[in-house]
Amino acid sequence: MMQEPGEGVRTEAAGKYYQVSRPVYSEDDFGQAHARVRRRHKGILDHVRQYFTCDSKRAKNAVLSLLPIIGWMRIYRVKEWLLNDIVSGVSTGLVAVLQGLAYSLLASIPPWYGLFAAFFPVVSYFFLGTSRHISVGAFPVLSLMVGAVVTKLVPDEGPPANITEFEGLTMDEQRALVAASVTFLMGIFQLGMGIFQVGFIVIYLSDTLVSGFTCAAAVHILVSQLKFVLGLTVPGFSGPLSIIWTLESIFTQITKTNICDLVTSIVVMVVVFLVKELNDRYKSKLPVPIPIEVIMTVIACGISYAVNFKEKFQVDIVGVIPSGFEPPRAPNLHIFQLTAMESFPMAIVGFAVAFSVAKVYAVKHDYLIDGNQELIAFGASNIFGGAFNSLAASTALSRSAVQESTGGKTQIAGLLSALIVMIVILFIGFLLEPLQKSVLGAVVIINLKGMLMQVREVPDLWRKDRPDCVVWVVTCVASILLGLDLGLAVGLGIELITVVFRTQFPRCSVLANINGTDIYRDRKDYLSMYEPEGVKIFRIPSPIFFANIEFFRGKLVEAVGFNPLRILRKRNKALRKIKKLLKKGELQVTPSGLLPSGSSPVDESEDESKMEDLDLPTDYSDLPVQVNWNSQLPANICVPRVDIHSLVLDFSAVSFLDMSAIKGLKAALKEFIRVDVNVYIVACDMYVYERLVRCQFFDDEVRTSMLFVTLHDAMLHILEHKPDNGKLNSVSEKVFSDNKYDGISNGKSSLRSREKVDKSGGTKL
Amino acid sequence: MMQEPGEGVRTEAAGKYYQVSRPVYSEDDFGQAHARVRRRHKGILDHVRQYFTCDSKRAKNAVLSLLPIIGWMRIYRVKEWLLNDIVSGVSTGLVAVLQGLAYSLLASIPPWYGLFAAFFPVVSYFFLGTSRHISVGAFPVLSLMVGAVVTKLVPDEGPPANITEFEGLTMDEQRALVAASVTFLMGIFQLGMGIFQVGFIVIYLSDTLVSGFTCAAAVHILVSQLKFVLGLTVPGFSGPLSIIWTLESIFTQITKTNICDLVTSIVVMVVVFLVKELNDRYKSKLPVPIPIEVIMTVIACGISYAVNFKEKFQVDIVGVIPSGFEPPRAPNLHIFQLTAMESFPMAIVGFAVAFSVAKVYAVKHDYLIDGNQELIAFGASNIFGGAFNSLAASTALSRSAVQESTGGKTQIAGLLSALIVMIVILFIGFLLEPLQKSVLGAVVIINLKGMLMQVREVPDLWRKDRPDCVVWVVTCVASILLGLDLGLAVGLGIELITVVFRTQFPRCSVLANINGTDIYRDRKDYLSMYEPEGVKIFRIPSPIFFANIEFFRGKLVEAVGFNPLRILRKRNKALRKIKKLLKKGELQVTPSGLLPSGSSPVDESEDESKMEDLDLPTDYSDLPVQVNWNSQLPANICVPRVDIHSLVLDFSAVSFLDMSAIKGLKAALKEFIRVDVNVYIVACDMYVYERLVRCQFFDDEVRTSMLFVTLHDAMLHILEHKPDNGKLNSVSEKVFSDNKYDGISNGKSSLRSREKVDKSGGTKL
């Protein structure tokens, strides 16, 4: 029906047949037959030049990308979107107030600082952020990480860290200062990463790692909220194993539990849990999910005020919330120094979470977000927030879900939520004062369900992918026991090791030909295989680098059944002996080879001084005859047989080699070449090939002529130039020439000398 | 004289032709035609069972491997080897005494403790070690690392760490206790690693890493010896940047230099340097290298005693060396706690160096060493040594070179060297008392030449392999600035990241057919390429895992020129609209397709509530006609054209996929399949295939029938079942069936329905 260009490789009748007829190609032949286009690849300089080129268009784009608000404001559809944004903004604002209070408990700072986090960062993100749907503000995991630093520097018991600015401040003020400074520093890290365009580093936080990490974070959050739910006073522990000490402290005090707090918490938890389940079940039928947390908080607040829980049951309440904002304050450099190690993982975690949430909504609503601009936006927001005593900001999935599901279209909704928060801060904050902390704790705990449930992934991971499962478990356990920052570092380390590990012990296999085809598979896997005598095909199924080059060399020796270096040494020793015997006249050259002329015992002593020479290529130069190493040698000289004449390495899966690998591989190949085994490399990627050339892999012994386009090409070549049957690879056919390596180095050169001998050796697969 | 291989290829008729004729194979077809042998792979349980199986042979082997001395003692040739061993033992012993004194200066402990390191560990290694040539004892880098811990716990100025056992001890005794405890703990780590058979971890220390690390160590050693050479009193700094403070302290005191020490040092350095050069040059002519360090030490010792340098010039001398050994002492558990973090890298470094030196000699003299047994041997030696106040033991390359080059055959030589050391300790130690410390410092410094000269590798590394160069530089700089233990950790981290990085931004390429062959190459690289219309061949040149799956998806979208998810959504939206219009009667079904029945404006509002449904496969179920997406659609509905009907992924270099990659890949492929692009995976490794099956990669949409044995097989298949020209991949040919995905999912299923239409569609490549 339609004719395709291209030669007739196949007849019409052959319907589903694979027919090819073309010359056998080594890479060299192929390069001659098909000229390669010379392409210039961009160097570092080109990239730098390109980066610093400036024209009006680039300048405009730069401004637009730095202030994404310009972009989306221009397409803002006031009629359609504004109402949505207002509804969404109000709902989000209410949730933000509640979460702000609750998450500041995680950070061990007074509740109103959490409200600031729902205001300042939101305002600056409004101008700088590229996501239109996330709700910026406190994030529980991040708050907890801030809390760890805060309690480390200003512990409940014992003196605070020796910082001059702490003088004259109450403990709460000291803590707020620490939290604000950490937020500021975190912002600096994020801004720096954004400016240097290194936002891509979050890809190292794989799904598995994040899952394990957040599950551990949920455990930490749960434990940290227990004291509020039970109404206990637990000192804040910090550092590795702090979770154990916290739990120990809670259980030793368990009898002091405040029953009022406990009952309130349980009621709140049960109600919120049930309503959330209903929300989930009737998702499609409800216009907006029931804001049960907000409702419960308001009710609890009212009851607490009415019954006067504080006086009657000594419950811990939110307490006095000062009206209005605090004046901006310069961050403390001394705190920067003390918390730099902890702030960096916070910067990463905060950004990674926000970015992954933003990505979900960007895909859903079909717009683009820019990772580096997001870093800049969060960096600026945290710097801005930190200066105004705000808690570190990222995004909370639950709050963003509220903003998006109630119809928010742009960050106008975010701005309006900030407005609501502002109203609370300025005017009606006092209404929240009687709220029990246990209610906030209960709300936090019930929202952990999703994060904790991630543990259910583990059995599935174990079945499907052991290394991934190990990453999950190690990250989770380390994060629980060592703390979130150290745990993240350990998780990252394990994750990187996993990647190395996956390629470290590759399943090397010996291939053979599937009869009648050009297909090669593991010879153990199929029954009808053809493995030509004297040829080994070795597949390297992974990249080669420092961690597996030795493993691979070992496997190669195992596959061929002999150690080429040992053989080479034995041959060289034998040759030395033969030369000595010839000199002494104890060996004679006869037409049928070397024969002993006497039966004198052979000297067994080794010539130790020249051990190094034994690794050099066998030097036949001043020998009057040829030696066939696989035949019986005179004078009881014994050299192990070498049963293969060709070794084919399938490089199709070798996606890179590092310097250690190139060195090791070259050494290994030389050893084989020096014991007269022809080595072929097939299906080598062009970039790998170029790299080998650049790193001086090829020389007089290891030649480019060993490269073949496909495995089958190499096999056809080998079978055509196969030595006479029986005398595998014997040097007896060696033709003396000026080039002393000729005839023993590799395929191409040895075949040249043999071509004269067996013209009829062409064999077809 | 000889023919170039290239020519012969074309002239020698069919002899060098690549001819294949076989059926086109998808993996499924291939599996049917060639039955696979069912192989059972060993599980974890099998390995455990095998490990714990016990019979007399295994027991015997276990004993032999635990006590290697039995093995080599049985083949000991007394007549030939004993004399060699004696000569070697005496020479090595003299060097060991000198180095023991010198390296204890690095560890900031009194000199005689270094002598113990040349005795106790050697004795236990004699029984347990598998290497016959290394000289066990102090190793400068390791001594320096011990020194860092020692000065951290017992600083020159200020109080020592708060350890009860320190009470009543002099500073030197405290330091010796710390050094011994660290050695003991290091031994425990090594023994543990040996017992748990994890000796393989040293392969993570790549040549590049070790080179950068030892170069940094040499800088540290140089700086630490400057105070002895200049005769200054410099407090021992510890922790990051300590090298800066040390240098600062030296330069501020430079005017106080002791001229006598300086002159002695320079003389010693110049003489030793020159004689070493001579040794190197006349290596082949000298029976043994001149032991110039020993000679210079003896001379310097004599002069110092004769002139009474100590009194006259206030030089710092070795001072009183107590005769005899010290009684064994239990290590301090409190010190264990404080130094665990530092002892672990020491255990690694100590073993790694010893193992690499041992390996060199094992290869040279053709015997086997066992990494895990070496760990056990060094672990036991360090525990034994630590109990007797010895300094941490590994091996020094220079001393081992002496032992081997003077003819040492077995550890008998080592034992004899220990004997010499014992004689010095017990009887003639006092002779060394007048020796200047500056002489020891000078000898240490001059031996650093080789380690420092490794910096010359850097330019070469930069040219050949940027990532390796970065590893070198970062390891070296971090080790210099942060200290050796932290530096090693940083270097390891960078090295692991490098491996990830190499596969993270793979050079994906679009392939095309080389005319008239079955070979496919990057279409930009060659001129005579054939790229069938509507087919994209995408090569993934690396493993796929969490760090590059997103990158790869981006590249794929770039290569095909459209985002399949966007297309799918637009199609689904369009279809929804068409259905609505049909319902309203604004569209009519005519024989030539859908035609608008009126010109009423189309409602632009989006049905937001069901965004999620847009990602599902297009549901044509209740549509009376077929839609050809690439033709003009009615009612101004606009859906971007899809210009390809088949996408081929070349998996030949994909050596593994992790869970993130499998999930991401599956999502990506589904998106393509849902916009009616047939996806093929070719040249997939069998183990990767098995893994995909195990991880439920394949389902109703992503089917195993998409796998083809080679790229050419897939192309032949595609060209044969190609859709009618023009109507690329249009659903107009869709045959309705029970299976709603049939016809739009992938190659195999769509071809089945089309086979009826174009039987004659067999096309040639």
Side-chain angles (χ1 to χ4, degrees), chain A residues 458-690:
Chain A
V458 177
D460 196 41
L461 271 181
W462 176 253
R463 266 194 308 279
K464 289 182 178 171
D465 196 26
R466 304 275 157 88
D468 251 25
C469 185
V470 170
V471 169
W472 199 101
V473 172
V474 171
T475 307
C476 187
V477 172
S479 302
I480 290 176
L481 293 181
L482 302 179
L484 291 178
D485 41 3
L486 265 181
L488 187 66
V490 169
L492 266 174
I494 284 287
E495 188 184 58
L496 293 179
I497 288 177
T498 312
V499 174
V500 174
F501 214 76
R502 281 179 203 270
T503 50
Q504 193 170 351
F505 302 112
R507 274 204 246 200
C508 297
S509 44
V510 175
L511 305 185
N513 182 255
I514 303 275
N515 272 337
T517 69
D518 57 341
I519 300 169
Y520 293 78
R521 290 279 166 99
D522 190 331
R523 66 172 170 179
K524 289 183 192 156
D525 273 352
Y526 295 89
L527 290 169
S528 54
M529 305 291 271
Y530 168 56
E531 202 179 6
E533 205 185 336
V535 182
K536 280 276 173 210
I537 310 167
F538 188 74
R539 177 170 158 81
I540 304 164
S542 78
I544 319 178
F545 57 107
F546 63 89
N548 65 7
I549 175 70
E550 286 305 318
F551 175 82
F552 149 68
R553 288 179 71 170
K555 283 281 170 192
L556 187 57
V557 164
E558 210 174 274
V560 298
F562 62 90
N563 184 333
L565 189 60
R566 276 192 64 208
I567 304 270
L568 180 64
R569 288 195 178 135
K570 298 226 164 174
R571 285 192 183 177
N572 275 335
K573 270 189 204 170
L575 208 64
R576 231 184 247 174
K577 208 174 282 177
I578 289 171
K579 282 181 190 170
K580 215 189 273 175
L581 290 176
L582 278 173
K583 233 182 240 169
K584 286 191 197 164
E586 283 168 14
L587 265 185
Q588 275 184 337
V589 184
T590 69
S592 59
L594 294 164
L595 278 183
S597 58
S599 60
S600 58
V602 177
D603 184 16
E604 274 287 336
S605 74
E606 289 172 17
D607 188 0
E608 288 277 337
S609 63
K610 291 194 175 173
M611 285 293 282
E612 282 81 7
D613 295 355
L614 291 181
D615 296 356
L616 293 179
T618 320
D619 177 14
Y620 301 98
S621 55
D622 52 351
L623 208 65
V625 290
Q626 295 107 14
V627 181
N628 181 346
W629 292 111
N630 283 340
S631 69
Q632 189 71 38
L633 292 172
N636 297 324
I637 295 170
C638 193
V639 172
R641 284 176 64 90
V642 170
D643 289 330
I644 68 167
H645 56 77
S646 299
L647 173 67
V648 183
L649 299 179
D650 179 0
F651 255 48
S652 57
V654 176
S655 44
F656 70 84
L657 295 99
D658 72 355
M659 283 306 295
S660 308
I662 290 177
K663 271 189 220 155
L665 186 69
K666 187 170 177 171
L669 297 196
K670 272 207 172 148
E671 288 170 12
F672 279 103
I673 290 167
R674 284 175 180 176
V675 292
D676 310 334
V677 173
N678 299 324
V679 181
Y680 302 90
I681 292 177
V682 301
C684 181
D685 185 280
M686 274 297 103
Y687 296 117
V688 171
Y689 175 55
E690 281 169 12

Side-chain angles (χ1 to χ4, degrees), chain A residues 4-5, chain B residues 511-513 520 529-537 644-646 715 718-719 722 765:
Chain A
E4 271 304 313
Chain B
L511 305 186
N513 181 256
Y520 294 77
M529 305 291 271
Y530 166 57
E531 200 178 7
E533 207 185 334
V535 181
K536 280 274 172 214
I537 311 165
I644 68 167
H645 56 77
S646 298
M715 279 306 269
I718 291 167
L719 291 176
K722 195 175 150 169
L765 247 191

Side-chain angles (χ1 to χ4, degrees), chain B residues 198-268:
Chain B
V198 290
F200 69 88
I201 59 167
V202 290
I203 55 175
Y204 292 119
L205 305 177
S206 69
D207 294 348
T208 312
L209 180 86
V210 169
S211 168
F213 178 75
T214 48
C215 189
V219 172
H220 275 285
I221 294 172
L222 177 65
V223 170
S224 75
Q225 296 304 296
L226 277 182
K227 65 173 174 180
F228 297 113
V229 167
L230 299 174
L232 300 174
T233 316
V234 176
F237 297 96
S238 65
L241 296 185
S242 59
I243 194 167
I244 307 278
W245 312 133
T246 309
L247 279 176
E248 194 204 7
S249 167
I250 288 174
F251 282 114
T252 52
Q253 299 182 62
I254 198 89
T255 49
K256 297 189 205 151
T257 302
N258 187 315
I259 301 299
C260 174
D261 269 337
L262 185 61
V263 170
T264 321
S265 305
I266 290 176
V267 170
V268 171

Side-chain angles (χ1 to χ4, degrees), chain B residues 435-670:
Chain B
L435 183 61
Q436 286 165 266
K437 282 188 179 170
S438 57
V439 172
L440 292 175
V443 170
V444 169
I445 287 178
I446 208 69
N447 275 310
L448 295 174
K449 189 189 150 208
M451 275 158 93
L452 286 173
M453 277 304 157
Q454 293 178 107
V455 81
R456 285 191 303 197
E457 290 171 21
V458 177
D460 196 41
L461 271 181
W462 176 253
R463 266 195 309 279
K464 288 183 178 168
D465 196 27
R466 303 275 157 87
D468 252 23
C469 185
V470 170
V471 169
W472 199 101
V473 172
V474 171
T475 307
C476 185
V477 171
S479 302
I480 289 177
L481 293 181
L482 302 178
L484 291 177
D485 41 3
L486 266 181
L488 187 66
V490 170
L492 265 174
I494 284 285
E495 189 184 59
L496 294 180
I497 289 178
T498 312
V499 175
V500 175
F501 215 78
R502 281 179 204 269
T503 49
Q504 193 172 352
F505 302 114
R507 274 205 247 200
C508 298
S509 45
V510 174
L511 305 186
N513 181 256
I514 303 274
N515 272 338
T517 69
D518 57 342
I519 300 169
Y520 294 77
R521 290 280 164 98
D522 191 331
R523 66 170 170 181
K524 289 182 192 158
D525 273 352
Y526 295 88
L527 291 169
S528 54
M529 305 291 271
Y530 166 57
E531 200 178 7
E533 207 185 334
V535 181
K536 280 274 172 214
I537 311 165
F538 189 74
R539 177 170 159 79
I540 304 164
S542 77
I544 320 179
F545 58 106
F546 64 88
N548 66 8
I549 175 71
E550 287 304 318
F551 174 84
F552 149 68
R553 286 179 73 170
K555 283 282 168 189
L556 188 57
V557 164
E558 211 175 273
V560 298
F562 62 88
N563 183 333
L565 190 60
R566 277 192 62 207
I567 305 270
L568 180 64
R569 289 199 177 130
K570 297 225 164 173
R571 283 191 184 177
N572 276 335
K573 270 188 202 170
L575 207 64
R576 230 183 248 175
K577 208 174 282 176
I578 289 171
K579 283 181 187 168
K580 213 187 276 174
L581 292 175
L582 279 173
K583 232 180 239 167
K584 288 189 194 163
E586 283 166 14
L587 264 186
Q588 276 184 338
V589 184
T590 70
S592 59
L594 295 164
L595 277 184
S597 56
S599 60
S600 57
V602 177
D603 183 16
E604 274 289 335
S605 73
E606 290 172 16
D607 188 1
E608 288 278 336
S609 64
K610 290 195 176 173
M611 286 294 283
E612 282 80 9
D613 294 355
L614 292 181
D615 297 354
L616 293 179
T618 320
D619 176 16
Y620 301 98
S621 55
D622 51 353
L623 208 66
V625 289
Q626 296 109 13
V627 181
N628 180 346
W629 291 113
N630 283 339
S631 69
Q632 191 69 38
L633 292 173
N636 296 327
I637 295 170
C638 193
V639 172
R641 283 175 65 87
V642 171
D643 289 329
I644 68 167
H645 56 77
S646 298
L647 173 66
V648 184
L649 298 179
D650 179 359
F651 256 46
S652 56
V654 177
S655 43
F656 70 84
L657 293 100
D658 71 355
M659 282 309 292
S660 309
I662 290 176
K663 270 187 220 157
L665 186 71
K666 186 169 178 171
L669 297 197
K670 272 207 172 150

Side-chain angles (χ1 to χ4, degrees), chain A residues 641-763:
Chain A
R641 284 176 64 90
V642 170
D643 289 330
I644 68 167
H645 56 77
S646 299
L647 173 67
V648 183
L649 299 179
D650 179 0
F651 255 48
S652 57
V654 176
S655 44
F656 70 84
L657 295 99
D658 72 355
M659 283 306 295
S660 308
I662 290 177
K663 271 189 220 155
L665 186 69
K666 187 170 177 171
L669 297 196
K670 272 207 172 148
E671 288 170 12
F672 279 103
I673 290 167
R674 284 175 180 176
V675 292
D676 310 334
V677 173
N678 299 324
V679 181
Y680 302 90
I681 292 177
V682 301
C684 181
D685 185 280
M686 274 297 103
Y687 296 117
V688 171
Y689 175 55
E690 281 169 12
R691 201 169 146 60
L692 289 177
V693 171
R694 198 167 61 243
C695 295
Q696 282 132 38
F697 182 75
F698 299 105
D699 59 16
D700 277 354
E701 289 179 86
V702 182
R703 300 187 187 181
T704 54
S705 55
M706 66 164 51
L707 272 91
F708 274 73
V709 172
T710 72
L711 186 43
H712 200 52
D713 282 290
M715 278 306 269
L716 292 176
H717 174 89
I718 292 167
L719 290 177
E720 191 179 354
H721 303 95
K722 195 175 154 173
D724 293 346
N725 49 348
K727 294 187 193 170
L728 284 176
N729 200 40
S730 63
V731 222
S732 59
E733 295 160 26
K734 188 174 157 286
V735 179
F736 284 98
S737 73
D738 290 337
N739 180 347
K740 73 171 181 173
Y741 298 135
D742 194 58
I744 60 161
S745 57
N746 60 26
K748 261 287 122 78
S749 54
S750 71
L751 81 90
R752 255 179 271 141
S753 51
R754 280 181 200 129
E755 237 163 58
K756 299 154 203 161
V757 184
D758 61 352
K759 275 281 184 205
S760 59
T763 327

